[in-house]
Amino acid sequence: MEAKKCEELLHLIEKNSRYTPKDLAAMLGLDVQDVEDEIKRLEREGVICGYHALIDWDKTDDEKISALVELKVTPQRGEGFDKIAEKIYRYPEVESLFLMSGGYDFTVILKKATMKEIANFVSSRLAVIEEVQSTATHVVLVRYKDHGIQFAEAKKDFRMLVTP
Protein backbone atom coordinates (compact mmCIF):
# COMPACT_ATOMS: atom_id res chain seq x y z
CA MET A 1 0.00 0.00 0.00
CA GLU A 2 1.31 3.45 -0.85
CA ALA A 3 2.48 5.62 2.05
CA LYS A 4 -0.26 8.25 1.66
CA LYS A 5 -3.06 5.63 1.73
CA CYS A 6 -1.42 3.95 4.72
CA GLU A 7 -1.37 7.27 6.59
CA GLU A 8 -5.03 7.87 5.72
CA LEU A 9 -5.84 4.36 6.97
CA LEU A 10 -4.08 5.05 10.27
CA HIS A 11 -5.94 8.34 10.74
CA LEU A 12 -9.28 6.62 10.12
CA ILE A 13 -8.50 3.80 12.56
CA GLU A 14 -7.26 6.29 15.16
CA LYS A 15 -10.49 8.28 14.85
CA ASN A 16 -12.74 5.21 15.05
CA SER A 17 -11.26 1.76 15.60
CA ARG A 18 -14.66 0.15 15.05
CA TYR A 19 -14.57 0.70 11.31
CA THR A 20 -14.59 -2.65 9.54
CA PRO A 21 -12.05 -3.42 6.83
CA LYS A 22 -14.97 -3.15 4.39
CA ASP A 23 -15.78 0.37 5.67
CA LEU A 24 -12.13 1.40 5.48
CA ALA A 25 -11.72 -0.02 1.97
CA ALA A 26 -14.76 1.92 0.77
CA MET A 27 -13.52 5.18 2.33
CA LEU A 28 -10.05 4.75 0.85
CA GLY A 29 -11.08 3.33 -2.52
CA LEU A 30 -9.11 0.12 -1.90
CA ASP A 31 -9.70 -3.61 -1.97
CA VAL A 32 -10.89 -5.11 1.34
CA GLN A 33 -8.14 -7.76 1.28
CA ASP A 34 -5.47 -5.06 0.82
CA VAL A 35 -6.82 -3.18 3.84
CA GLU A 36 -6.90 -6.35 5.97
CA ASP A 37 -3.33 -7.22 4.95
CA GLU A 38 -2.11 -3.70 5.71
CA ILE A 39 -3.75 -3.68 9.15
CA LYS A 40 -2.14 -7.03 9.98
CA ARG A 41 1.25 -5.71 8.85
CA LEU A 42 0.87 -2.53 10.90
CA GLU A 43 -0.11 -4.56 13.99
CA ARG A 44 2.79 -6.98 13.49
CA GLU A 45 5.28 -4.09 13.15
CA GLY A 46 3.93 -2.36 16.26
CA VAL A 47 2.64 0.71 14.41
CA ILE A 48 -0.88 -0.11 15.59
CA CYS A 49 -0.33 -0.75 19.30
CA GLY A 50 -3.88 -1.38 20.47
CA TYR A 51 -7.52 -0.44 20.22
CA HIS A 52 -9.30 1.51 22.95
CA ALA A 53 -12.78 2.72 23.81
CA LEU A 54 -13.16 6.30 25.01
CA ILE A 55 -15.59 6.34 27.94
CA ASP A 56 -17.41 9.35 29.39
CA TRP A 57 -17.08 8.27 33.03
CA ASP A 58 -19.07 11.31 34.18
CA LYS A 59 -22.18 9.55 32.82
CA THR A 60 -21.59 6.57 35.09
CA ASP A 61 -21.61 6.07 38.86
CA ASP A 62 -17.79 5.95 38.91
CA GLU A 63 -16.47 8.34 41.56
CA LYS A 64 -12.77 8.02 40.76
CA ILE A 65 -10.75 10.95 39.46
CA SER A 66 -7.95 11.44 36.96
CA ALA A 67 -4.67 13.11 37.80
CA LEU A 68 -1.56 14.37 36.04
CA VAL A 69 1.71 14.51 37.91
CA GLU A 70 4.63 16.62 36.72
CA LEU A 71 8.09 15.48 37.80
CA LYS A 72 11.42 17.27 37.90
CA VAL A 73 14.22 14.73 37.84
CA THR A 74 18.00 14.51 37.77
CA PRO A 75 18.99 12.40 34.75
CA GLN A 76 21.53 9.65 35.34
CA ARG A 77 24.96 9.95 33.80
CA GLY A 78 25.16 7.79 30.68
CA GLU A 79 21.50 6.74 31.03
CA GLY A 80 19.65 10.01 30.43
CA PHE A 81 15.94 9.91 31.15
CA ASP A 82 15.30 6.37 29.92
CA LYS A 83 16.16 4.53 33.15
CA ILE A 84 14.05 6.91 35.22
CA ALA A 85 11.17 6.53 32.77
CA GLU A 86 11.42 2.75 33.07
CA LYS A 87 11.14 2.95 36.86
CA ILE A 88 7.98 5.03 36.48
CA TYR A 89 6.13 3.32 33.62
CA ARG A 90 6.42 -0.11 35.24
CA TYR A 91 3.88 0.90 37.90
CA PRO A 92 0.39 -0.32 36.94
CA GLU A 93 -1.10 2.96 38.19
CA VAL A 94 0.67 4.84 35.37
CA GLU A 95 -1.61 5.21 32.37
CA SER A 96 0.77 7.38 30.31
CA LEU A 97 4.24 8.84 30.69
CA PHE A 98 5.73 11.63 28.60
CA LEU A 99 9.18 13.25 28.52
CA MET A 100 8.46 16.98 28.27
CA SER A 101 10.18 20.24 27.51
CA GLY A 102 9.62 23.19 29.83
CA GLY A 103 9.59 23.45 33.61
CA TYR A 104 9.15 19.74 34.31
CA ASP A 105 10.84 16.72 32.80
CA PHE A 106 8.02 14.17 32.88
CA THR A 107 4.24 14.23 32.85
CA VAL A 108 2.64 11.14 34.38
CA ILE A 109 -1.04 10.45 33.77
CA LEU A 110 -2.45 8.17 36.44
CA LYS A 111 -5.26 5.68 36.05
CA LYS A 112 -8.56 6.76 37.55
CA ALA A 113 -8.40 6.33 41.31
CA THR A 114 -9.59 7.87 44.54
CA MET A 115 -7.90 11.01 45.82
CA LYS A 116 -6.39 8.98 48.67
CA GLU A 117 -4.95 6.39 46.25
CA ILE A 118 -3.43 9.12 44.08
CA ALA A 119 -1.92 10.91 47.08
CA ASN A 120 -0.50 7.64 48.38
CA PHE A 121 0.97 6.70 44.99
CA VAL A 122 2.63 10.09 44.52
CA SER A 123 4.05 10.25 48.05
CA SER A 124 5.11 6.63 48.50
CA ARG A 125 6.04 5.59 44.96
CA LEU A 126 6.95 8.58 42.76
CA ALA A 127 8.39 11.09 45.21
CA VAL A 128 10.74 8.53 46.74
CA ILE A 129 12.48 7.67 43.46
CA GLU A 130 16.06 8.80 44.00
CA GLU A 131 16.25 10.94 40.84
CA VAL A 132 12.95 12.77 41.48
CA GLN A 133 13.56 16.32 42.69
CA SER A 134 9.94 17.48 42.91
CA THR A 135 6.37 16.67 41.94
CA ALA A 136 3.31 18.74 41.09
CA THR A 137 -0.02 16.92 41.09
CA HIS A 138 -3.00 18.21 39.13
CA VAL A 139 -6.50 16.76 39.44
CA VAL A 140 -8.75 16.82 36.38
CA LEU A 141 -11.92 18.72 37.29
CA VAL A 142 -13.78 18.65 33.97
CA ARG A 143 -12.89 16.85 30.76
CA TYR A 144 -14.18 19.00 27.91
CA LYS A 145 -12.47 17.22 25.03
CA ASP A 146 -10.36 14.08 24.84
CA HIS A 147 -8.84 12.34 21.81
CA GLY A 148 -10.73 14.73 19.54
CA ILE A 149 -14.09 13.92 21.13
CA GLN A 150 -16.06 16.74 22.77
CA PHE A 151 -17.52 15.72 26.13
CA ALA A 152 -19.03 18.91 27.52
CA GLU A 153 -22.28 19.95 25.93
CA ALA A 154 -22.82 23.63 25.24
CA LYS A 155 -24.88 25.14 28.04
CA LYS A 156 -28.05 26.91 26.95
CA ASP A 157 -28.43 30.44 28.22
CA PHE A 158 -31.86 30.66 29.83
CA ARG A 159 -31.49 34.25 31.00
CA MET A 160 -34.18 36.64 29.90
CA LEU A 161 -33.11 39.22 27.35
CA VAL A 162 -33.54 42.70 28.80
CA THR A 163 -33.43 45.70 26.45
CA PRO A 164 -33.76 49.39 27.29
Side-chain angles (χ1 to χ4, degrees), residues 27-44:
M27 288 185 264
L28 296 168
L30 298 170
D31 182 65
V32 175
Q33 188 61 53
D34 291 341
V35 169
E36 289 174 346
D37 293 344
E38 186 67 5
I39 290 171
K40 287 177 188 170
R41 181 187 72 78
L42 293 166
E43 290 172 341
R44 192 173 50 252

Side-chain angles (χ1 to χ4, degrees), residues 5-123:
K5 287 289 186 184
C6 180
E7 188 174 321
E8 289 177 45
L9 173 66
L10 290 170
H11 283 290
L12 288 169
I13 292 170
E14 184 177 45
K15 192 77 169 165
N16 183 351
S17 63
R18 294 195 57 167
Y19 285 136
T20 66
K22 184 178 177 182
D23 296 333
L24 294 165
M27 288 185 264
L28 296 168
L30 298 170
D31 182 65
V32 175
Q33 188 61 53
D34 291 341
V35 169
E36 289 174 346
D37 293 344
E38 186 67 5
I39 290 171
K40 287 177 188 170
R41 181 187 72 78
L42 293 166
E43 290 172 341
R44 192 173 50 252
E45 292 178 4
V47 175
I48 297 175
C49 303
Y51 300 91
H52 303 277
L54 191 55
I55 310 295
D56 188 348
W57 290 104
D58 290 340
K59 293 182 178 176
T60 71
D61 293 335
D62 186 274
E63 296 282 330
K64 295 181 178 176
I65 60 172
S66 297
L68 290 82
V69 183
E70 295 174 312
L71 302 175
K72 284 186 184 179
V73 300
T74 304
Q76 298 175 335
R77 183 182 311 248
E79 301 291 334
F81 293 101
D82 294 343
K83 283 285 188 195
I84 303 167
E86 188 176 347
K87 289 179 185 179
I88 297 166
Y89 68 63
R90 290 194 179 276
Y91 289 116
E93 295 90 344
V94 175
E95 184 75 25
S96 301
L97 175 64
F98 304 101
L99 179 62
M100 307 295 292
S101 64
Y104 288 88
D105 300 305
F106 287 109
T107 297
V108 181
I109 300 176
L110 299 178
K111 287 186 177 180
K112 291 176 60 60
T114 65
M115 187 63 141
K116 185 175 183 176
E117 290 168 335
I118 289 170
N120 185 49
F121 178 75
V122 172
S123 64

